Amino acid sequence: MKVLWTSFSLCLISISVLAQSPLTGQASLESVTVYRVGAELNHKARISLPKGRSELLINNVANVLDENSLQIAAGANVTIMSATFERNFLKDENKSPAYLKLEDSLKVASRELTKTRNIRTSEENTLVLLDKNQSLHGNSASVAELIKLADYYKTKQLELRNSVALLKEKEVVQEKQVTKIQQQLEELNANPDKNGGQLVLQVMAENAATTDISISYLTPNAYWTVYYDLRSDKTTEPLKILYKANVMQSTGIDWKKVKLTLSTGNPSQNGTAPVLSAWFLRYGTEYQLRGRVAGTQMQNRIQTLEERAAPPAAPLAEMVVTQDKGIADFTTANENQLSATFDIDIPYDIAPTGKQHSVTLKEYTVPARYKYYAVPKADPDAFLMAEITDYEKFNFLPGEANIIFENMYVGKSFIDPNATSDTLNLSVGRDKKVIVKREKITDVAAGVKFLGSQKKQTFTYEIRVRNAKKEPVNLLLKDQYPVSTDKNMEVELLESSDAAVNTETGVLTWKLSIEPGETKKVRLSYSVKYPKDKIIANL
């Protein structure tokens, strides 16, 4: 009876240990939706569960996740009781594939280094033994035997010393390789974000069964940015716009052959509508007023930058798609109520390095009207501009653009769809064949005059534009004259060569049509009268 009780106790202990040991499963990443900030990851894990309550460890999830966004679903007879996120990177199951690969590489490299060292030591010991035994014992050896023995020692020593030298060189190379791998492992250990995380689930199964567990969550360690390629072969042809994305992720897990979707939305942005409260005025000091005004200006500047960086709510409209076969043909643009998504049908591999991974989304052909634009006071070159009307229906995102004109890379531009005008002007680059020169005309007689207590200065500029191209060009030319901010300062526009004048800003605009080989001239002249005891710093 005593033996039976002992066996039964051991059985209970065994059952208790088994019940406390957690089950382990790997989360397979199936699809990812990348937002402008953050990403939603969707996993599946197939687990065999015993009847009753179990603790389940799910590996290969992101290193950082928003636990409020965590959603887990299992089979009909399985209940998820609780879920906890862990980042215990000392466990082997939480090490990233890159870390495990480096560990294997270190083992192989260390093994090869040990072999090389052992061979070198053996050769060196043989050389020492040879040196000790090369002396001749007795005087019975003939001259021929002495010569033969000397040749043997010489040949063997040379062979061993050469072998040792080569082994030392090989050893140095292998030591560098081992050191390099060790440093890479140390970098991974120093940055735990390069490894994945783990979910601890408490589950209850009505019956023993194998079930699929679906897991989705948001992680901040991924995002995408937009950029464009603007291509134009001739000013008589439409503008080609390649819509591209740079995708970055540092979630600690490899995205291997995942279904990738890019969204213009931002799930981390506060979705609560603002409410105005009463605005009570109070007296304050002048110092407080100045500080508040400066702070308001800075806040407005920050808000302006944020608005420029923020993606618009709507997507790109369906424009004319080019017939070139490429990745863009496998991308579908979908319009939602508050955002847009680009579904890519080709599975993607993106490593968790945080480096940019370029993805081509769509290629469009957009009707455009080309013109040249020059502001010689600010820049001596003329710029070719592509003018797009009704651009609101395209709903572009703000982003940098690479410019390729006539099959040549000519620079960068920026697409800013948040402009308030009804026309979007895209810079296609500089054109050196439209030559613009702005020169100041020196006139001593009319330059400076003193009229009593007043001083009057006159400025005259001549702008020459030459068309060195084989076709006519239309040029929008701009310059300016100063605007007075003081009642004692008088500015008068004397000559404008029939320019359109904005008196509030002082900007002059000429619309010039220039034939091939033709040169056109315009003049700008203005005077500034102010008290002679004053100095205008920026005149």
Side-chain angles (χ1 to χ4, degrees), residues 208-228:
T210 299
T211 184
D212 287 328
I213 297 180
S214 300
I215 303 167
S216 68
Y217 54 83
L218 293 175
T219 176
N221 289 352
Y223 63 95
W224 72 281
T225 57
V226 64
Y227 73 102
Y228 304 87

Side-chain angles (χ1 to χ4, degrees), residues 451-469:
L451 306 172
S453 63
Q454 299 289 311
K455 179 180 180 180
K456 184 177 182 180
Q457 286 184 266
T458 301
F459 302 86
T460 303
Y461 295 91
E462 183 178 82
I463 304 174
R464 298 191 303 274
V465 183
R466 179 173 178 268
N467 179 13
K469 299 177 71 67

Side-chain angles (χ1 to χ4, degrees), residues 92-112:
D92 287 341
E93 58 267 21
N94 285 340
K95 294 177 181 177
S96 68
Y99 190 95
L100 295 174
K101 184 177 180 180
L102 282 176
E103 277 191 332
D104 292 339
S105 299
L106 180 60
K107 291 177 182 178
V108 173
S110 299
R111 191 181 304 120
E112 293 300 318

Side-chain angles (χ1 to χ4, degrees), residues 226-273:
V226 64
Y227 73 102
Y228 304 87
D229 281 351
L230 303 181
R231 292 182 177 271
S232 179
D233 296 330
K234 296 179 181 179
T235 56
T236 57
E237 296 180 358
L239 178 68
K240 293 181 180 179
I241 301 180
L242 274 72
Y243 190 98
K244 295 185 174 182
N246 279 326
V247 182
M248 284 76 74
Q249 70 103 348
S250 55
T251 60
I253 56 177
D254 281 333
W255 296 1
K256 289 288 188 181
K257 292 181 171 50
V258 299
K259 175 70 171 60
L260 189 62
T261 299
L262 302 184
S263 173
T264 61
N266 183 0
S268 63
Q269 193 173 28
N270 186 2
T272 305

Side-chain angles (χ1 to χ4, degrees), residues 406-532:
E406 295 178 344
N407 292 323
M408 292 181 60
Y409 175 79
V410 296
K412 290 184 179 294
S413 183
F414 189 86
I415 294 181
D416 184 8
N418 297 327
T420 56
S421 61
D422 58 356
T423 302
L424 183 63
N425 289 290
L426 304 179
S427 176
V428 186
R430 302 169 184 261
D431 194 331
K432 298 293 185 180
K433 292 185 178 181
V434 179
I435 304 163
V436 184
K437 297 290 184 182
R438 181 182 190 266
E439 293 182 347
K440 185 177 181 181
I441 305 300
T442 303
D443 188 345
V444 179
V448 180
K449 291 182 179 180
F450 292 93
L451 306 172
S453 63
Q454 299 289 311
K455 179 180 180 180
K456 184 177 182 180
Q457 286 184 266
T458 301
F459 302 86
T460 303
Y461 295 91
E462 183 178 82
I463 304 174
R464 298 191 303 274
V465 183
R466 179 173 178 268
N467 179 13
K469 299 177 71 67
K470 296 180 180 179
E471 63 272 356
V473 299
N474 295 318
L475 175 68
L476 192 68
L477 180 65
K478 287 183 179 289
D479 211 309
Q480 66 179 156
Y481 68 97
V483 178
S484 173
T485 57
D486 191 287
K487 65 180 181 179
N488 295 320
M489 185 189 303
E490 181 181 338
V491 178
E492 182 182 2
L493 179 62
L494 304 175
E495 184 178 359
S496 63
S497 295
D498 297 324
V501 181
N502 187 327
T503 56
E504 293 183 357
T505 62
V507 174
L508 289 81
T509 304
W510 293 271
K511 294 182 179 180
L512 305 178
S513 296
I514 312 172
E515 296 297 322
E518 183 184 7
T519 299
K520 286 196 173 182
K521 300 178 183 180
V522 297
R523 277 205 174 197
L524 163 65
S525 182
Y526 59 88
S527 64
V528 182
K529 186 169 65 173
Y530 56 96
K532 63 181 180 180

